[in-house]
């Protein structure tokens, strides 16, 4: 890194640290609510797991996936989603509010990248707690499967998770930029939850067809958790899967950046 | 009665604003539905020598999920509970109290109006889905079953409304009701039969759930349609469902009366 980019990096790191401090202070002023939200998320996670438990009362396998492999998948999907939620989710849903109220003007005037500020403004600490629950389920399922991941396995797993988080973020951000055109965009979060939920299903359950193709190559929900998990749980994976995940992560990010620039150009503020 | 008819009409006009939103919601809601159907298809394919899952054939199982989507569109509470909580928090309720109108009946009129608009918006995507899956869709065994199904669906709508209404009234006491609404929603989701038909659970668990109102919020009308509840059990189920509606009506009234007292004490 040369000096200029180094100081730029330092500046953004300092801004981000300040945003973290603000978020901690804000969360701690509503402690009961903070704990209740963690409980709500854990309850929903428990529901997903009980669904798997009930299904495996009636079958030994879903395609090639055994019970604990699917539990591992649900845990991994929870882990990826919650890290995404911790860093980005509330920021993405706030965007339509900034547009509606015209507060985006104020953010555009600040001497820092607006996309950076919009994306990183708040940190949801409760979601970090819930991502630990996802990790705990992965570890437990891993023990049931008698997995002994090497350092190399984990070094392959975590970057693929990061690619999954980037895909979630890019698609959600893309959906949020729609609010520049429609203003009212409450349906966005709800729509995304429906997509989200696909990520925790084993891809083997889907026979080749339009549905599978769309959710693999266009909205890659069936790759986000499945690809990293298959590397760890010793399920056969096609050799193209992980490169495609990485390429699609970069593509989704690129498309969301393009849409963001087009949207800001279109933006004419709320009041005037 | 006439004034509530007007409220209903105003409700229709107000929710028509959201028709595109509703269309999106109904269409996106089909994605997890498709996924669940594919998942079950894979399970049935993995066990070719098994005759079915707890008495469900693949067509029966698919029909279960398709029908629960239909019943859900007809009866689910969209954001009525959020609006009620908002009315209370913002103090909007004061001006409604001054009008010669009953708040519960006022809200019920708006809820029904919302359902009419939502169902109309959802007809297109849901019909497309039913056509796509028509080979896996079974018809009700006879006309009587269909009639009981219709009656039970109506009771489901009332029950859904009354439970959400009562929950939203918590806003008289607590500032933030959204967490409570989500907790209730989680229970309705699993114990109501959204995730899977309740009779694939171990019998003890399924019987325990039948003591709660949740199965009557979705599972019961769907299993009536599928002909899985018949004879005396059918009439008993319908009576229990009606009883839950009455009980929840009583609870809603009671909570409202208490809430109003609390409210005037605070707002002075």
């Amino acid at each position: 890194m040369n000096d200029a980019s180094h100081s730029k990096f330092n500046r953004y790191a300092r801004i981000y640290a300040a945003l973290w401090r603000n978020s901690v202070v804000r969360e701690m002023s509503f402690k009961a609510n903070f704990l209740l939200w963690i409980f709500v998320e854990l309850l929903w996670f428990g529901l997903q797991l009980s669904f798997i438990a009930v299904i495996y009362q009636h079958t030994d396998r879903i395609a090639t996936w055994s019970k604990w492999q699917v539990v591992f998948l649900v845990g991994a999907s929870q882990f990826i989603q919650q890290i995404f939620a911790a860093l980005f989710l509330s920021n993405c849903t706030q965007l339509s509010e900034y547009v509606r109220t015209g507060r985006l003007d104020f953010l555009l005037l600040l001497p820092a990248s607006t996309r950076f500020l919009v994306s990183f403004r708040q940190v949801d600490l409760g979601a970090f707690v819930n991502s630990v629950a996802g990790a705990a389920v992965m570890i437990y399922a891993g023990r049931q499967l008698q997995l002994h991941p090497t350092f190399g396995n984990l070094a392959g797993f975590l970057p693929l998770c990061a690619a999954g988080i980037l895909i979630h973020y890019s698609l959600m951000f893309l959906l949020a930029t729609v609010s520049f055109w429609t203003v009212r965009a409450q349906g966005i979060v709800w729509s995304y939850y429906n997509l989200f939920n696909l990520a925790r299903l084993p891809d083997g359950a889907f026979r080749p067809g339009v549905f599978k193709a769309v959710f693999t190559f266009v909205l890659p929900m069936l790759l986000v958790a499945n690809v990293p998990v298959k590397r760890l749980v010793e399920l056969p994976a096609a050799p193209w899967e992980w490169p495609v995940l990485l390429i699609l992560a970069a593509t989704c990010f690129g498309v969301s950046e393009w849409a963001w620039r087009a949207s800001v150009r279109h933006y004419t503020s709320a009041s005037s | 009665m006439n004034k509530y008819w007007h409220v209903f009409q105003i409700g229709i006009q107000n929710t028509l604003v959201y028709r595109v939103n509703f269309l999106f919601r109904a269409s996106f809601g089909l994605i997890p539905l498709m996924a669940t159907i594919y998942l079950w298809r894979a399970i049935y394919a993995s066990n070719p020598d098994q005759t079915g899952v707890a008495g469900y054939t693949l067509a029966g199982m698919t029909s279960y999920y398709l029908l629960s989507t239909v019943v859900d569109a007809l009866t689910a509470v969209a954001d009525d509970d959020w609006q009620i909580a908002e009315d209370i928090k913002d103090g909007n309720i004061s001006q409604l109290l001054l009008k010669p109108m009953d708040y519960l009946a006022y809200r019920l009129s708006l809820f029904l109006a919302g359902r009419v608009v939502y169902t109309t918006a959802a007809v297109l995507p849901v019909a497309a889905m039913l056509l796509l899956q028509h080979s896996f869709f079974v018809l009700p065994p006879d006309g009587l079953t269909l009639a009981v199904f219709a009656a039970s669906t109506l009771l489901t709508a009332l029950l859904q409304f009354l439970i959400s209404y009562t929950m939203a009234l918590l806003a008289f006491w607590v500032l933030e009701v959204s967490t409570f609404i989500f907790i209730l929603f989680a229970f309705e989701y699993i114990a109501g039969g959204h995730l899977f038909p309740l009779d694939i659970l171990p019998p003890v668990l399924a019987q325990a759930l039948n003591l709660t109102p949740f199965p009557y919020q979705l599972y019961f009308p769907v299993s009536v349609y599928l002909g899985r509840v018949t004879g005396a059990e059918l009439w008993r189920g319908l009576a229990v469902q009606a009883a839950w509606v009455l009980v929840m009506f009583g609870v809603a009234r009671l909570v409202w009366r208490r809430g109003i007292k609390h409210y005037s004490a605070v707002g002075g």
Side-chain angles (χ1 to χ4, degrees):
Chain A
M1 249 188 274
N2 61 35
D3 259 10
S5 69
H6 194 87
S7 76
K8 195 174 173 188
F9 178 80
N10 271 340
R11 195 162 75 87
Y12 276 95
R14 272 210 311 283
I15 296 175
Y16 196 43
L19 293 174
W20 260 83
R21 269 197 303 280
N22 284 346
S23 299
V24 174
V25 171
R26 192 170 33 227
E27 299 259 34
M28 286 308 122
S29 48
F30 302 100
K31 280 197 201 71
N33 205 43
F34 173 74
L35 293 173
L36 264 173
W37 272 115
I38 293 177
F39 174 71
V40 169
E41 284 288 343
L42 283 177
L43 191 64
W44 279 95
F45 184 38
L47 281 191
Q48 294 165 23
L49 291 172
S50 59
F51 179 52
I52 301 303
V54 169
I55 279 187
Y56 275 96
Q57 295 251 305
H58 300 279
T59 185
D60 295 330
R61 281 185 188 273
I62 299 176
T64 51
W65 292 70
S66 72
K67 178 177 172 180
W68 290 109
Q69 285 169 332
V70 174
V71 172
F72 195 104
L73 177 70
V74 173
S77 153
Q78 171 82 355
F79 176 74
I80 290 169
Q81 276 181 24
Q82 292 296 336
I83 299 274
F84 156 71
L87 299 175
F88 301 115
L89 182 61
S90 54
N91 294 309
C92 291
T93 54
Q94 279 288 311
L95 183 58
S96 68
E97 207 52 19
Y98 297 150
V99 174
R100 202 176 60 79
T101 58
R103 276 184 64 200
L104 189 66
D105 296 10
F106 165 73
L107 292 172
L108 284 167
L109 288 175
L110 292 178
S113 153
T114 311
R115 181 168 182 170
F116 174 85
L117 291 173
V118 169
S119 302
F120 287 110
R121 207 134 186 260
Q122 294 179 23
V123 185
D124 178 355
L125 298 170
F128 279 118
V129 176
N130 288 308
S131 72
V132 173
V137 166
M138 271 195 282
I139 292 170
Y140 185 78
R143 289 180 73 109
Q144 296 289 324
L145 291 165
Q146 298 181 331
L147 297 181
H148 300 287
T150 62
F151 180 75
N153 290 144
L154 288 176
F157 177 73
L158 291 173
L160 291 176
C161 286
I165 294 165
L166 185 62
I167 287 177
H168 276 320
Y169 161 64
S170 303
L171 292 181
M172 187 70 198
F173 197 77
L174 189 63
L175 272 176
T177 54
V178 170
S179 59
F180 278 94
W181 275 275
T182 64
V183 182
R184 275 199 173 272
Q186 318 113 311
I188 286 175
V189 186
W190 197 84
S191 312
Y192 200 72
Y193 269 105
N194 282 321
L195 282 183
F196 254 175
N197 292 346
L198 289 187
R200 59 167 190 261
L201 298 176
D203 59 358
F206 301 92
R207 261 177 289 175
V210 179
F211 188 90
K212 188 168 189 176
V214 167
F215 291 106
T216 305
F217 297 111
V218 185
L219 302 166
M221 286 302 126
L222 292 176
L223 298 178
V224 163
N226 273 285
V227 173
V229 166
K230 281 202 275 185
R231 286 187 75 83
L232 275 188
V233 300
E234 291 158 1
L235 271 169
W240 54 264
E241 283 181 351
W242 70 264
V244 165
L245 175 66
L246 295 181
I247 291 166
L248 284 174
T251 313
C252 288
F253 183 75
V255 171
S256 77
E257 178 65 20
W258 171 81
W260 163 249
R261 288 184 183 199
S263 306
V264 173
R265 220 173 295 133
H266 173 85
Y267 177 69
T268 49
S269 185
S271 47
S272 46
Chain B
M1 208 52 215
N2 199 12
K3 56 193 174 195
Y4 298 116
W5 177 244
H6 279 293
V7 173
F8 177 78
Q9 284 173 320
I10 293 169
I12 296 251
Q13 282 166 11
N14 281 344
T15 33
L16 270 177
V17 178
Y18 302 109
R19 60 191 182 275
V20 180
N21 209 327
F22 282 171
L23 186 67
F24 268 117
R25 269 183 89 130
S27 311
F28 268 95
L30 296 181
I31 295 170
L33 173 69
M34 290 276 275
T36 315
I37 289 175
Y38 282 128
L39 191 71
W40 278 107
R41 226 177 266 181
I43 292 168
Y44 278 88
S46 316
N47 302 285
D49 37 322
Q50 206 173 308
T51 45
V53 173
Y56 284 92
T57 58
L58 178 56
M61 192 59 91
T62 311
S63 297
Y64 179 88
Y65 285 100
L66 292 174
L67 260 170
S68 37
T69 308
V70 174
V71 173
D72 196 55
L74 287 168
T75 65
V77 172
D79 54 356
D80 304 78
D81 37 7
W82 304 100
Q83 287 173 12
I84 295 168
E86 201 88 334
D87 272 355
I88 295 170
K89 252 197 309 195
D90 296 352
N92 266 340
I93 210 148
S94 306
Q95 51 136 335
L96 288 163
L97 287 172
L98 292 175
K99 291 177 185 155
M101 245 194 303
D102 178 57
Y103 188 67
L104 193 145
Y106 166 76
R107 270 290 149 194
L108 183 62
S109 311
L110 288 179
F111 166 68
L112 294 175
R115 280 305 90 193
V116 169
V117 175
Y118 184 86
T119 308
T120 316
V123 159
L124 221 63
V126 172
M129 185 71 191
L130 290 181
L131 270 179
L132 201 69
Q133 302 284 337
H134 67 97
S135 52
F136 292 101
F137 191 66
V138 295
L139 291 170
D142 50 54
L144 177 69
T145 310
L146 195 62
V148 176
F149 166 71
S152 174
T153 303
L154 185 66
L155 288 175
T156 293
L158 290 175
L159 190 58
Q160 291 260 20
F161 169 75
L162 288 170
I163 290 180
S164 296
Y165 175 85
T166 310
M167 202 63 180
L169 292 186
L170 279 183
F172 280 120
W173 293 274
V174 292
L175 207 57
E176 189 61 62
V177 288
S178 48
T179 42
F180 295 100
I181 291 177
F182 273 113
I183 291 170
L184 175 72
F185 185 46
F187 280 105
E188 288 175 344
Y189 204 69
I190 190 158
H194 277 268
L195 268 178
F196 46 77
L198 299 177
D199 48 359
I200 71 169
L201 283 170
V204 185
L205 219 62
Q207 275 159 15
L209 284 180
N210 271 330
L211 301 176
T212 70
F214 298 120
Y216 298 97
Q217 288 186 274
L218 177 76
Y219 171 73
F220 182 70
V222 175
S223 33
V224 167
Y225 178 101
L226 293 176
R228 294 180 71 89
V229 196
T230 48
E233 227 184 307
L234 178 68
W235 301 112
R236 206 179 57 91
L238 205 60
V240 173
Q241 192 179 23
W244 273 118
V245 171
L246 287 178
V247 168
M248 282 319 299
F249 179 73
V251 173
R253 283 290 190 212
L254 188 77
V255 173
W256 169 260
R257 217 167 304 138
R258 296 232 160 171
I260 283 296
K261 256 185 218 152
H262 190 75
Y263 180 70
S264 19
V266 174

